Amino acid sequence: MRLVQFHRHGDGGGIRVGVEQGDEGLGVVDLKAFDPSMPSTMRELLELGDQGLECAQRALSSGQCVVERSDIQLLSPVLAPEKVVCVGMNYRDHCLEQNAPIPTEPIIFSKFPSAITGPYDDIILPSESLEVDWEVELAFVIGRRGKHIKEEDALSYVAGFTVANDVSARDWQMKRNGKQWLLGKTFDSFCPLGPALVTTDAVKDPHNLGVRCLVNGDTVQSSNTDQMIFKTEALVAWVSKFVTLTPGDVFLTGTPPGVGVFRKPPVFLKKGDVVECQIDQLGSIINKVV
């Protein structure tokens, strides 16, 4: 299934959860209209576990309560998660690009959840940075609570996958703030996410997906998730050693080569640029830089 969060135009901004019919671009089944007992947010839906997903499947099969894509605005599939967990240096080809050693254990950092923005919302250039860069990433969302999760059980804790852009202010990431990454990664709007949460059963192999980023129509990143050093299962097991994972937690799994900062000369985003991040089977997010 392809689960989405959306506003209806003229609805005063109320959040709804829906299921896309078929691929991107078709109608969306409004879950709460189908079953008023269903929650209004993805995080609450995931907290219901199998019951919530079974209801979503029934709603999709019914073909009822369909809203047209033109009548809604898609939001990030998850809003206000407890955690946004990010992984640095997790693509072999990205490490080679910067002559960095291949990590022997995951490099974990975070963004504040307030950085999350929708799949077609604007990326806001902060006045504090002159070096804002792109990073297409495979993201996944946790579906059930767990701690000390075994790697062989880890996928059962993953609700699904989506597309992310780990927008990064390189001056703050690499030179300022004691070279701690957080501030450079967590300006408002620096985590576009979407367009849908594609449930794990609908993704054939999350570690064999084409990953691309385009800036103004030019391909700047093009790789495959088979380049990931630590796969989804390893990341869930590793991070759950430290913290309890809860439904709705978002993981960004790292970026391939082609980021602006390592180009010669470096290239950074400017007002008016359009950034498109694409992942096979998941879809694409398109964000204008303002």
Side-chain angles (χ1 to χ4, degrees):
M1 283 184 295
R2 298 178 61 88
L3 302 170
V4 296
Q5 284 192 138
F6 64 94
H7 288 318
R8 285 175 182 249
H9 295 314
D11 190 22
I15 298 174
R16 315 282 280 199
V17 182
V19 193
E20 285 188 335
Q21 295 182 306
D23 290 333
E24 290 176 274
L26 294 172
V28 172
V29 178
D30 183 338
L31 220 52
K32 204 168 178 64
F34 175 78
D35 180 349
S37 73
M38 280 291 112
S40 296
T41 70
M42 188 76 73
R43 189 170 160 186
E44 291 170 308
L45 181 74
L46 296 176
E47 284 167 354
L48 290 176
D50 290 342
Q51 178 200 345
L53 294 178
E54 284 161 10
C55 180
Q57 188 62 63
R58 282 199 308 277
L60 179 62
S61 303
S62 78
Q64 298 170 350
C65 307
V66 177
V67 289
E68 293 304 319
R69 183 56 64 86
S70 57
D71 294 335
I72 64 173
Q73 175 195 354
L74 280 190
L75 308 173
S76 163
V78 181
L79 288 166
E82 187 177 279
K83 294 182 270 303
V84 179
V85 178
C86 306
V87 188
M89 313 287 292
N90 197 31
Y91 276 67
R92 283 185 186 80
D93 47 9
H94 182 51
C95 292
L96 295 172
E97 164 183 57
Q98 48 191 303
N99 296 318
I102 303 287
T104 55
E105 58 190 28
I107 298 171
I108 302 299
F109 64 99
S110 70
K111 286 164 138 23
F112 292 134
S114 53
I116 290 175
T117 193
Y120 312 116
D121 292 347
D122 294 338
I123 295 167
I124 301 162
L125 284 182
S127 56
E128 292 77 12
S129 174
L130 298 170
E131 298 185 356
V132 176
D133 201 352
W134 56 82
E135 291 194 2
V136 61
E137 309 213 1
L138 173 70
F140 65 83
V141 178
I142 295 298
R144 60 193 183 106
R145 186 180 181 88
K147 181 94 193 274
H148 295 296
I149 298 165
K150 293 191 179 74
E151 203 167 314
E152 55 267 31
D153 301 330
L155 263 190
S156 71
Y157 286 82
V158 175
F161 296 86
T162 192
V163 183
N165 185 351
D166 179 13
V167 183
S168 305
R170 301 300 186 190
D171 35 11
W172 285 94
Q173 178 191 358
M174 296 175 166
K175 300 170 203 156
R176 307 281 300 272
N177 197 39
K179 299 188 179 177
Q180 293 285 328
W181 290 0
L182 175 71
L183 284 183
K185 294 281 190 174
T186 206
F187 283 99
D188 290 351
S189 79
F190 271 27
C191 190
L193 212 55
L197 178 62
V198 183
T199 54
T200 306
D201 60 351
V203 181
K204 286 194 184 72
D205 177 2
H207 307 114
N208 188 18
L209 299 173
V211 180
R212 292 167 299 282
C213 178
L214 291 76
V215 177
N216 302 325
D218 296 327
T219 301
V220 290
Q221 293 182 278
S222 183
S223 187
N224 190 291
T225 56
D226 66 6
Q227 290 288 310
M228 284 169 62
I229 298 160
F230 300 102
K231 313 288 195 215
T232 301
E233 298 89 335
L235 295 172
V236 169
W238 177 260
V239 174
S240 73
K241 291 179 184 182
F242 301 88
V243 294
T244 301
L245 300 180
T246 61
D249 284 352
V250 176
F251 278 64
L252 275 58
T253 63
T255 200
V259 295
V261 70
F262 296 127
R263 293 176 174 263
K264 293 181 176 49
V267 178
F268 297 111
L269 293 172
K270 59 190 185 304
K271 184 178 162 186
D273 285 346
V274 176
V275 186
E276 179 170 4
C277 294
Q278 310 170 339
I279 300 182
D280 294 350
Q281 298 179 40
L282 305 183
S284 64
I285 58 177
I286 303 172
N287 306 94
K288 188 177 179 185
V289 179
V290 300

